[in-house]
Amino acid sequence: MIDFHCHLDLYPDPAAAAAACRQQGHYVLSVTTTPRAWRGTLALSKGAPRVRTALGLHPQLAHERHGELPLFEALLPETRYVGEVGLDGSPELRPHQEVQRRCFDRILAACAAAGGRVLTVHSRRAADAVLDAWERKPGAGTMILHWFTGSRRELERAAGLGCWFSVGPAMVRSSRGRDALAAMPPDRILTETDGPFATGLKGPLGPGEVEEAVAACGVSWRVPHDEAGHRLAENLRQLGETALAA
Ligand code: MN
């Protein structure tokens, strides 16, 4: 299974979560929320070649952790993957909008200077602001908007800018989420869990538990479940090529 946005380090037992990925052969993008979490989270991927670790600074933490930006820049040469990063326009975070924007701009500039990265990006209530930043700092690489909840117009703008999308079980459970999925370019979609924050029918989603999202892709694309899985795997392969060429 492809789980392109999973917080392995935030499960109650991170080592067990990582071991499950290894045993089941999942392709996992293991994201972090602060640069200080990088070393420990990277260690979880040891012996698991299909688990890649992303260097992140979560927008909900930007106001507390912006002092770690120099560490972010120092670590960036070690990875091709960046996340979780982005902007969050929720009302309670409104006082921190400016520091979020500065952090995200600086992260995008660092990615561009490093020759481009694959980024998994949070855009809750801030899709246009994320896309504005993306246009302000060209050359940052390939942006995957995770659990996209923006408007149809914002989705079309993102697609027009070449963005990818990652969709998970929690997203496709709502009709709004399924409508968004139907409007996304099928060849730029991956699956994710956003575990352990997103929940499935039996509680927090484990790494790689994306079956409901694969099924929703099949319905949306009007193809059998297996074919949806093949197409998602092909998307991942294409992403690898795109990112390598960037
Ligand atoms: Mn997340």
Side-chain angles (χ1 to χ4, degrees):
M1 292 292 137
I2 297 165
D3 184 351
F4 221 69
H5 185 112
C6 184
H7 297 264
L8 282 186
D9 62 344
L10 300 180
Y11 281 91
D13 187 345
C21 297
R22 259 195 317 274
Q23 283 155 13
Q24 291 161 40
H26 296 314
Y27 292 87
V28 175
L29 186 62
S30 164
V31 302
T32 54
T33 54
T34 72
R36 276 198 199 148
W38 165 256
R39 282 275 169 246
T41 308
L42 178 65
L44 292 172
S45 69
K46 221 173 165 190
R50 292 176 174 177
V51 177
R52 299 297 161 85
T53 309
L55 175 64
L57 206 176
H58 198 292
Q60 293 169 348
L61 300 174
H63 58 289
E64 294 167 352
R65 301 299 193 118
H66 57 92
E68 293 178 42
L69 277 169
L71 179 60
F72 181 98
E73 288 163 345
L75 293 172
L76 188 58
E78 297 188 25
T79 181
R80 283 177 47 216
Y81 299 94
V82 165
E84 182 165 359
V85 297
L87 298 172
D88 189 312
S90 300
E92 65 274 20
L93 292 169
R94 215 150 275 161
H96 308 307
Q97 246 170 8
E98 186 52 30
V99 66
Q100 280 189 29
R101 196 189 57 77
R102 269 190 287 118
C103 284
F104 190 44
D105 272 9
R106 193 159 146 189
I107 286 165
L108 294 178
C111 290
R117 291 292 184 267
V118 173
L119 299 94
T120 178
V121 175
H122 176 110
S123 60
R124 190 168 131 207
R125 296 189 178 218
D128 264 330
V130 162
L131 299 174
D132 289 345
W134 190 251
E135 290 193 299
R136 228 173 11 246
K137 303 280 178 200
T142 304
M143 176 154 69
I144 302 164
L145 294 166
H146 110 88
W147 199 338
F148 187 82
T149 55
S151 68
R152 178 59 57 91
R153 186 194 54 76
E154 288 167 325
L155 194 157
E156 281 167 7
R157 182 181 171 205
L161 289 170
C163 293
W164 287 60
F165 300 89
S166 56
V167 303
M171 175 179 167
V172 300
R173 217 167 288 140
S174 76
S175 61
R176 187 179 152 82
R178 290 191 299 274
D179 286 349
L181 168 60
M184 291 169 182
D187 57 348
R188 280 188 259 142
I189 295 175
L190 296 171
T191 47
E192 67 165 39
T193 58
D194 202 16
F197 298 113
T199 52
L201 303 172
K202 293 170 289 181
L205 288 166
E209 286 185 3
V210 297
E211 284 292 348
E212 285 172 79
V214 177
C217 288
V219 170
S220 179
W221 302 337
R222 297 188 178 85
V223 298
H225 188 92
D226 284 359
E227 174 61 18
H230 291 316
R231 292 188 188 186
L232 289 160
E234 174 61 16
N235 287 352
L236 181 63
R237 205 179 65 79
Q238 290 294 337
L239 175 70
E241 290 181 359
T242 306
L244 287 171

